[in-house]
Amino acid sequence: MSDVVLSIKDLHKSFDGNLILDGINLDVKQGEVIVIVGPSGCGKSTLLRTIKGLETYEIGSISTTDPKAQVGMVFQNYELFPHLKVIDNIILAPMKVNGTPKSEAKEKALEFLDRVGLKDKANSYPRQLSGGQKQRVAIVRALIMNPEIMLFDEVTAALDPEMVREVLDVMLGLAKQGKTMLIVTHEMQFAKAIADRVLFLDGGKIVEENTPDEFFTKPKTKRAKKFLNVFEFDAIR
């Protein structure tokens, strides 16, 4: 994990005059898993969307080692096409964007679906799937483009508790395979288990950065301590 694959310098982003990202600086190494936590409205999702290119920014820079590097993103609400079968949702991008022949795209899609335990759902429609199954399909749809970097934005937030585990297990598997990932989550136990580094955002700034062991047991800032105390209270309650 020595090679930097993503570099963010002095990133500033505003919405309607309100500063959302306030001077973000971050280097991400190949194979690194970075978990981003913080209160609602602190800029976590905006940061991921800006890295993906879905949002513009006013000041700063975002660069990858390879200018052609693919960045995949999985969203909270799946974003699957309801009128397309699972297999067709997955192969649409490689066929349209990369020009991959349909037979080749289908073969690869089935391999990925098999990895996440959903090969038997290839010909189902999204409405026939549970929330956890839809999210796993969304992950496969991103992975089939062979991205160098994967972004996950609160991918379990819309799921019932019993469905969360199946999605997190897929992400843990990707981490073990060495996939470079930036993950926004409120699942603190998951963050502790998967992260190489934890970033705590507040007010559009990286307020604290540390290993998961240090961050969750000995946070350095009062703001991070207050944030973590809320989660401890919720867990007890």
Side-chain angles (χ1 to χ4, degrees), residues 78-86 88-89 92 125-127 141:
Y78 328 126
E79 306 294 343
L80 299 177
F81 293 110
H83 64 290
L84 295 180
K85 293 179 180 179
V86 164
D88 295 320
N89 264 283
L92 185 63
Y125 287 92
R127 66 178 181 273
R141 184 180 57 183

Side-chain angles (χ1 to χ4, degrees), residues 164-200:
V164 169
R165 184 76 255 167
E166 62 193 60
V167 175
L168 298 185
D169 283 344
V170 171
M171 295 168 68
L172 283 166
L174 292 175
K176 291 176 181 177
Q177 293 166 23
K179 180 64 72 176
T180 306
M181 299 191 286
L182 281 79
I183 302 168
V184 168
T185 184
H186 281 112
E187 300 283 344
M188 294 298 113
Q189 291 300 318
F190 172 67
K192 189 184 296 187
I194 198 172
D196 295 307
R197 267 193 292 165
V198 177
L199 305 183
F200 176 67

Side-chain angles (χ1 to χ4, degrees), residues 12-217:
H12 290 72
K13 163 70 181 173
S14 299
F15 284 122
D16 299 325
N18 297 314
L19 192 59
I20 307 300
L21 299 177
D22 186 8
I24 299 291
N25 290 284
L26 176 65
D27 284 338
V28 181
K29 297 176 182 178
Q30 185 174 8
E32 190 173 23
V33 178
I34 294 178
V35 172
I36 304 168
V37 300
S40 297
C42 70
K44 305 184 300 293
S45 294
T46 299
L47 177 58
L48 293 194
R49 291 177 62 84
T50 305
I51 293 170
K52 176 61 177 171
L54 300 175
E55 302 285 355
T56 58
Y57 53 92
E58 294 83 41
I59 301 173
S61 64
I62 300 174
S63 60
T64 53
T65 306
D66 179 0
K68 296 181 180 179
Q70 288 275 351
V71 177
M73 186 164 179
V74 183
F75 302 88
Q76 177 178 328
N77 294 318
Y78 328 126
E79 306 294 343
L80 299 177
F81 293 110
H83 64 290
L84 295 180
K85 293 179 180 179
V86 164
I87 190 77
D88 295 320
N89 264 283
I90 295 168
I91 67 175
L92 185 63
M95 288 174 58
K96 296 292 185 182
V97 177
N98 296 342
T100 306
K102 187 173 184 178
S103 58
E104 182 181 332
K106 275 193 170 184
E107 182 179 355
K108 191 173 181 182
L110 290 171
E111 289 177 8
F112 275 112
L113 284 171
D114 193 32
R115 284 192 212 174
V116 300
L118 290 177
K119 188 175 181 179
D120 62 328
K121 301 295 185 182
N123 291 308
S124 299
Y125 287 92
R127 66 178 181 273
Q128 297 171 307
L129 305 181
S130 69
Q133 289 170 335
K134 290 176 186 175
Q135 199 58 283
R136 282 185 281 163
V137 171
I139 292 172
V140 167
R141 184 180 57 183
L143 288 174
I144 200 170
M145 297 299 287
N146 195 31
E148 284 78 7
I149 301 165
M150 282 289 292
L151 311 176
F152 294 90
D153 186 15
E154 292 284 11
V155 295
T156 60
L159 300 180
D160 292 333
E162 63 268 21
M163 297 176 185
V164 169
R165 184 76 255 167
E166 62 193 60
V167 175
L168 298 185
D169 283 344
V170 171
M171 295 168 68
L172 283 166
L174 292 175
K176 291 176 181 177
Q177 293 166 23
K179 180 64 72 176
T180 306
M181 299 191 286
L182 281 79
I183 302 168
V184 168
T185 184
H186 281 112
E187 300 283 344
M188 294 298 113
Q189 291 300 318
F190 172 67
K192 189 184 296 187
I194 198 172
D196 295 307
R197 267 193 292 165
V198 177
L199 305 183
F200 176 67
L201 263 64
D202 190 38
K205 295 177 179 289
I206 298 176
V207 176
E208 187 165 337
E209 176 182 344
N210 216 326
T211 64
D213 284 343
E214 290 291 318
F215 179 76
F216 288 108
T217 59

